């Protein structure tokens, strides 16, 4: 508005056209000029409109009725029609979901209508539709802006997250859901978004079921249903009654001797078929190796989530015992470190599956180079895994029943393991970013950076009541660790804005003017 000396709705029209990318808008302005910028965005500004008397009668070119001047409305482009025709036009556009760019009714006019005029005319006859128009305008800020996204929680909490700097990050909504801002799936680093998409599909579709069927069954030559052999004899019979040779899969009669099956010979070696079968077996066993370990750590993470209440109870018992040790923050800090490292460890297996397989990077590394890098990564992975399991073991100990000296020993172990786990996580991310993904020619596989304090949470809630001068009550929260807070329950839907130095959370249930003031 200040740079181009525009009204608010004109500035918003330009921003919507450029998907709220201010840098791109300024680049077009510098390279192409103001006239090109305005015309492409549908912003037509006629400086001198012909005037007419409010009491005079005018003809509307749409309905061809004579209408009093005060019942006519002229847009910024200069076209003037009666209010009834404008209102019907606006209603159709809003119901079709075109609220953010309602064009003028005039033939071949691409000018965008003034949203204040749209709101005024529609609200007179259809107030609900005017509210829908406001809602669509606000939602366009989220849906068209690459730096703002809806929280993908299910059920939807009604919040939107805005990041200030880099869209390649992981954030936590106030409802507690953690997700990757780039792809809107659950937080998955150190997996890249492309890797996680492939892994997610691989785990949910039937590709591995097909592999298992290929390895362990053969199709009946008559009905083509898969048949699994349940005995030692190589003459098998399908449920449809067809007998066939298990060695080559060809149909045969019932005659079967120790040395041959009547009707054909299957002693000839078929190299391509054997290679295909061995490849299917190797791929299946490799997938099962990584999936089993990924699933094991995911299951462990779900079980360790239940430790929160148990840990709080143990801490309260220790506090009542009035031990010499008064500070028990090491317990909750260790638990937080366990949650974060367990998540990193679980997603490191899908990363390794694709990083050292042939599906994505077959031509990027030689076999020798791949083996060296795989050994380097797996060494770090094993060290992290060993320390995570030790940390989990110490936190599950009934240390609230131990003597003072034993509690001190547990404290030292938990603190040391927390530091070691954090260091190993940092080294693993550095290895992935510099030695593995950093050496690739294709730079499409990027990961969200590792944060010792955990995934950043949109915070500092400002409610509409607080904006009006009322004092806000402090929100209910669980225990805190370092600078990250965790809640044991999903927070209810609220109206307001969350912001800190990196992420902002917007609840778009507010009217447009309140959102803009915030």
């Amino acid at each position: 508005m200040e740079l181009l000396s525009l009204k608010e709705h004109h500035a918003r029209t330009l921003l919507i056209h450029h998907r709220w990318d201010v840098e791109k808008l300024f680049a077009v302005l510098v390279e192409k000029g103001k006239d090109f910028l305005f015309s492409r965005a549908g912003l037509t500004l006629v400086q001198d409109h012909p005037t007419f008397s409010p009491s005079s009668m005018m003809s509307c070119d749409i309905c061809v009725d004579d209408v009093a001047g005060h019942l006519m409305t002229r847009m910024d482009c200069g076209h003037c029609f009666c209010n009834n025709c404008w209102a019907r036009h606006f209603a159709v556009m809003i119901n079709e979901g075109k609220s953010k760019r309602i064009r003028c009714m005039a033939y071949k006019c691409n000018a965008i209508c003034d949203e204040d005029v749209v709101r005024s005319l529609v609200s007179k006859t259809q107030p609900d539709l005017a509210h829908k128009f406001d809602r669509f305008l606000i939602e366009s800020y989220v849906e068209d802006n690459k730096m703002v996204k809806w929280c993908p929680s299910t059920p939807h909490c009604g919040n939107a997250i805005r990041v200030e700097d880099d869209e390649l990050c992981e954030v936590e909504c106030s409802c507690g859901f953690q997700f990757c801002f780039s792809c809107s799936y659950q937080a998955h680093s150190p997996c890249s978004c492309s890797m996680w998409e492939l892994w997610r599909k691989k785990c949910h579709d039937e590709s591995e079921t097909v592999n298992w069927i290929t390895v362990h069954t053969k199709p009946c030559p008559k009905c083509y249903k898969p048949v699994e052999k349940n005995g030692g004899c190589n003459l098998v019979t399908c449920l449809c009654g067809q007998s066939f040779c298990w060695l080559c899969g060809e149909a045969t009669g019932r005659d079967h001797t120790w040395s041959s099956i009547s009707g054909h010979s299957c002693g000839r070696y078929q190299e391509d078929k054997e290679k295909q079968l061995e490849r299917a077996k190797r791929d299946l066993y490799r997938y099962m190796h990584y999936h089993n370990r990924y699933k094991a750590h995911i299951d462990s993470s779900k079980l360790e989530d239940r430790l929160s209440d148990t840990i709080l109870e143990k801490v309260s018992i220790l506090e009542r015992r009035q031990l010499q040790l008064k500070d028990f923050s090491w317990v909750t800090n260790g638990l937080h470190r366990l949650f974060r490292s367990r998540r990193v460890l679980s997603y490191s297996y899908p990363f390794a599956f694709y990083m050292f397989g042939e599906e994505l990077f077959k031509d990027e590394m030689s076999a020798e180079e791949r083996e060296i890098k795989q050994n380097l990564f797996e060494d770090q992975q094993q060290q992290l895994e060993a320390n995570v399991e030790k940390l989990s073991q110490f936190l599950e100990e009934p240390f609230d029943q131990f003597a003072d000296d034993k509690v001190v020993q547990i404290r030292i172990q938990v603190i040391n393991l927390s530091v070691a786990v954090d260091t190993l996580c940092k080294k693993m991310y550095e290895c992935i970013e510099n030695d593995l993904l950093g050496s690739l020619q294709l730079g499409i596989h990027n990961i969200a950076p590792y944060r010792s304090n955990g995934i950043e949470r949109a915070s500092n809630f400002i409610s509409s009541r607080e904006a009006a001068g009322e004092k806000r009550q402090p929100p209910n929260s669980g225990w805190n660790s370092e600078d990250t807070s965790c809640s044991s329950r999903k927070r209810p839907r609220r109206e307001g804005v969350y912001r800190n130095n990196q992420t902002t959370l917007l609840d778009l249930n507010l009217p447009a003017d309140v959102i803009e003031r915030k």
Side-chain angles (χ1 to χ4, degrees):
M1 290 171 62
E2 295 175 358
L3 179 67
L4 300 175
S5 300
L6 295 174
K7 295 180 181 178
E8 182 178 340
H9 71 274
H10 292 152
R12 182 160 29 244
T13 298
L14 290 175
L15 286 167
I16 289 175
H17 178 73
H18 291 90
R19 303 182 70 85
W20 297 91
D21 191 336
V22 181
E23 294 181 359
K24 182 179 179 181
L25 191 156
F26 287 164
V28 174
L29 175 64
V30 172
E31 294 174 5
K32 305 290 185 178
K34 184 185 290 188
D35 294 338
F36 180 87
L37 176 70
F38 284 11
S39 62
R40 290 300 295 270
L43 193 61
T44 304
L45 303 179
V46 178
Q47 299 297 332
D48 298 321
H49 295 298
T51 60
F52 56 86
S53 174
S55 60
S56 62
M57 300 299 292
M58 299 183 63
S59 177
C60 174
D61 293 339
I62 300 296
C63 61
V64 201
D65 287 341
D66 291 333
V67 183
H70 69 279
L71 297 177
M72 300 284 287
T73 299
R74 189 187 305 277
M75 291 296 170
D76 295 326
C77 57
H79 294 118
C80 181
F81 304 107
C82 72
N83 292 345
N84 289 336
C85 290
W86 279 121
R88 294 192 194 101
H89 173 65
F90 295 153
V92 171
M93 293 294 102
I94 294 171
N95 286 323
E96 290 180 355
K98 300 177 181 178
S99 294
K100 59 184 180 181
R101 292 183 65 80
I102 299 181
R103 298 187 181 276
C104 174
M105 288 190 293
Y107 180 63
K108 289 188 177 181
C109 181
N110 294 321
I112 305 301
C113 296
D114 185 342
E115 62 191 48
D116 291 331
V117 176
V118 175
R119 189 180 298 107
S120 174
L121 294 179
V122 172
S123 61
K124 292 178 181 178
T125 56
Q126 303 182 64
D128 293 340
L129 200 60
H131 176 73
K132 187 177 182 180
F133 171 72
D134 287 333
R135 179 74 182 183
F136 280 155
L137 275 182
I138 299 173
E139 287 179 351
S140 73
Y141 177 74
V142 179
E143 294 165 358
D144 295 339
N145 193 334
K146 67 178 183 179
M147 304 303 284
V148 183
K149 285 189 178 179
W150 293 109
C151 171
S153 59
T154 305
H156 184 37
C157 63
N159 295 327
I161 301 286
R162 181 180 67 196
V163 296
E164 301 293 343
D165 300 324
D166 187 6
E167 59 181 309
L168 183 64
C169 61
E170 293 174 334
V171 295
E172 180 179 347
C173 178
S174 65
C175 70
F177 187 77
Q178 298 178 344
F179 66 99
C180 171
F181 193 84
S182 180
C183 66
S184 295
Y185 285 118
Q186 66 192 68
H188 53 70
S189 66
C191 261
S192 69
C193 295
S194 302
M195 290 178 179
W196 177 246
E197 177 68 14
L198 293 171
W199 181 261
R200 192 178 63 86
K201 288 182 178 179
K202 196 174 189 66
C203 293
H204 285 84
D205 65 13
E206 297 183 358
S207 60
E208 299 312 319
T209 303
V210 172
N211 276 344
W212 190 93
I213 291 174
T214 302
V215 172
H216 297 94
T217 69
K218 291 189 177 180
C220 170
K222 180 180 178 181
C223 66
Y224 300 104
K225 292 182 179 178
V227 178
E228 183 180 9
K229 193 169 95 162
N230 59 0
C233 179
N234 286 320
L235 178 68
V236 296
T237 303
C238 179
L239 293 175
C240 69
Q242 175 65 50
S243 299
F244 65 95
C245 174
W246 182 259
L247 299 177
C248 66
E250 299 294 333
T252 182
R254 294 291 300 172
D255 298 333
H256 181 226
T257 65
W258 178 261
S259 58
S260 67
I261 299 175
S262 63
H264 64 94
S265 173
C266 55
R268 297 183 181 275
Y269 176 67
Q270 298 179 2
E271 185 175 2
D272 293 341
K273 200 169 184 179
E274 290 296 324
K275 285 184 178 180
Q276 185 178 4
L277 186 61
E278 289 300 322
R279 174 66 179 269
K281 285 183 179 179
R282 186 176 74 251
D283 291 346
L284 176 61
Y285 293 149
R286 183 174 182 272
Y287 167 76
M288 289 174 61
H289 169 84
Y290 286 101
H291 182 270
N292 289 341
R293 283 152 182 79
Y294 160 76
K295 187 69 167 55
H297 286 294
I298 290 293
D299 293 341
S300 296
S301 179
K302 292 178 180 178
L303 293 173
E304 288 166 351
D305 282 342
R306 303 174 187 175
L307 277 176
S308 302
D309 295 333
T310 307
I311 287 293
L312 288 175
E313 188 177 335
K314 289 179 180 179
V315 169
S316 63
I317 292 174
L318 289 173
E319 289 175 344
R320 288 197 300 268
R321 286 176 55 185
Q322 296 182 350
L323 303 175
Q324 293 181 353
L325 187 64
K326 301 298 182 183
D327 182 17
F328 298 101
S329 61
W330 55 272
V331 182
T332 52
N333 290 342
L335 188 60
H336 269 289
R337 186 66 60 202
L338 176 63
F339 290 157
R340 295 164 196 155
S341 56
R342 181 72 77 180
R343 187 186 65 81
V344 170
L345 189 59
S346 59
Y347 290 110
S348 69
Y349 283 98
F351 169 82
F353 177 80
Y354 288 107
M355 185 71 226
F356 307 114
E358 298 181 353
E359 187 168 347
L360 293 179
F361 308 115
K362 182 178 181 180
D363 300 328
E364 291 276 357
M365 296 178 285
S366 64
E368 182 180 358
E369 186 181 5
R370 179 180 289 107
E371 183 180 1
I372 293 173
K373 291 185 175 181
Q374 184 171 355
N375 290 333
L376 171 65
F377 178 80
E378 288 177 349
D379 286 344
Q380 295 187 350
Q381 194 179 42
Q382 288 177 2
Q383 292 180 42
L384 177 60
E385 194 168 31
N387 283 275
V388 166
E389 298 302 340
K390 289 179 182 178
L391 180 59
S392 177
Q393 180 182 357
F394 280 112
L395 288 173
E396 290 179 355
E397 290 279 358
F399 51 81
D400 55 318
Q401 303 173 11
F402 292 164
D404 288 18
D405 55 342
K406 190 70 177 293
V407 173
V408 172
Q409 293 178 9
I410 295 289
R411 173 182 176 273
I412 294 173
Q413 292 288 350
V414 169
I415 292 176
N416 291 339
L417 286 170
S418 297
V419 174
V421 163
D422 182 44
T423 303
L424 289 170
C425 285
K426 288 179 181 177
K427 287 184 177 180
M428 177 181 285
Y429 272 72
E430 290 174 0
C431 173
I432 292 173
E433 292 173 340
N434 300 328
D435 300 331
L436 300 181
L437 295 180
S439 62
L440 301 177
Q441 295 181 358
L442 297 177
I444 60 174
H445 294 276
N446 298 312
I447 62 173
Y450 174 74
R451 301 178 62 89
S452 294
N453 295 334
I455 294 176
E456 187 170 12
R457 183 173 191 169
S459 56
N460 296 340
F461 172 72
I462 302 174
S463 68
S464 56
R465 291 180 303 173
E466 186 181 2
E470 296 181 24
K471 186 176 181 181
R472 177 171 64 94
Q473 296 297 324
N476 294 329
S477 61
W479 34 266
N480 296 324
S481 170
E482 299 167 6
D483 64 347
T484 303
S485 61
C486 249
S487 177
S488 60
R489 62 181 179 85
K490 190 180 180 74
R491 294 186 180 180
R493 185 171 177 169
R494 298 176 180 174
E495 297 180 345
V497 181
Y498 295 77
R499 67 165 60 85
N500 57 13
N501 62 336
Q502 293 292 333
T503 60
T504 303
L505 187 144
L506 309 171
D507 190 318
L508 300 184
N509 299 309
L510 291 175
D513 56 342
V514 176
I515 287 289
E516 289 162 5
R517 284 204 306 271
K518 294 300 104 195

